[in-house]
Amino acid sequence: MRKGQKVRILRTNQIATIVEVELIRKSGKVHRYCHLKMDKKPDLWMDASELGGLVERCRITFHDDRGQELYFDVERDYRKENLSITLTGKNPENLNEHHGINIMMAEMLCRGFKTYK
């Protein structure tokens, strides 16, 4: 983490800018603390372990007993307030050839995203 970098406060998902970084010894260990500037709130100091990037990614895999796999790659961009989902498959590569419980579960997940929004 460096000065001027935009970060996300993990607890609240608010975006802040790092003003300065200091190493502080606490209980015999060295911790990295960041001085953060936020839009409408007073500045605050936070441990670097409580901060994260502006983009989070995860992969959700549906795997059945025939070796078919479906992958949902989910990416959330906090700066743009955007959630994107990419669906890919394996064995077979063509998504139209997938059938069975894994495709049914993937459909249920998609419906859940739709109702969540």
Side-chain angles (χ1 to χ4, degrees), residues 2-5 17-21 34-38 43:
R2 62 188 186 281
K3 185 178 177 179
Q5 180 181 357
T17 305
I18 296 177
V19 176
E20 64 180 305
V21 179
C34 300
H35 181 200
L36 303 174
K37 179 167 178 47
M38 301 177 62
D43 296 356

Side-chain angles (χ1 to χ4, degrees), residues 58-101:
C58 78
R59 173 173 267 195
I60 303 166
T61 304
F62 293 95
H63 184 275
D64 71 0
D65 55 354
R66 294 182 308 255
Q68 293 183 9
E69 293 181 11
L70 290 172
Y71 306 114
F72 278 90
D73 292 316
V74 182
E75 181 176 289
R76 184 173 181 186
D77 189 332
Y78 289 91
R79 183 184 310 191
K80 297 177 185 175
E81 296 182 6
N82 184 20
L83 180 71
S84 64
I85 302 170
T86 305
L87 176 64
T88 55
K90 179 180 170 187
N91 295 337
E93 303 295 326
N94 185 354
L95 292 175
N96 291 330
E97 297 176 16
H98 281 265
H99 59 280
I101 193 166

Side-chain angles (χ1 to χ4, degrees), residues 1-3 7 11 17-27 29-37 44-51:
M1 306 210 162
R2 62 188 186 281
K3 185 178 177 179
V7 292
R11 194 175 332 133
T17 305
I18 296 177
V19 176
E20 64 180 305
V21 179
E22 284 192 20
L23 299 176
I24 299 173
R25 183 176 301 274
K26 209 177 192 182
S27 303
K29 294 182 181 178
V30 177
H31 295 270
R32 178 179 290 176
Y33 279 87
C34 300
H35 181 200
L36 303 174
K37 179 167 178 47
L44 70 138
W45 285 86
M46 293 193 83
D47 192 309
S49 65
E50 299 179 56
L51 304 174

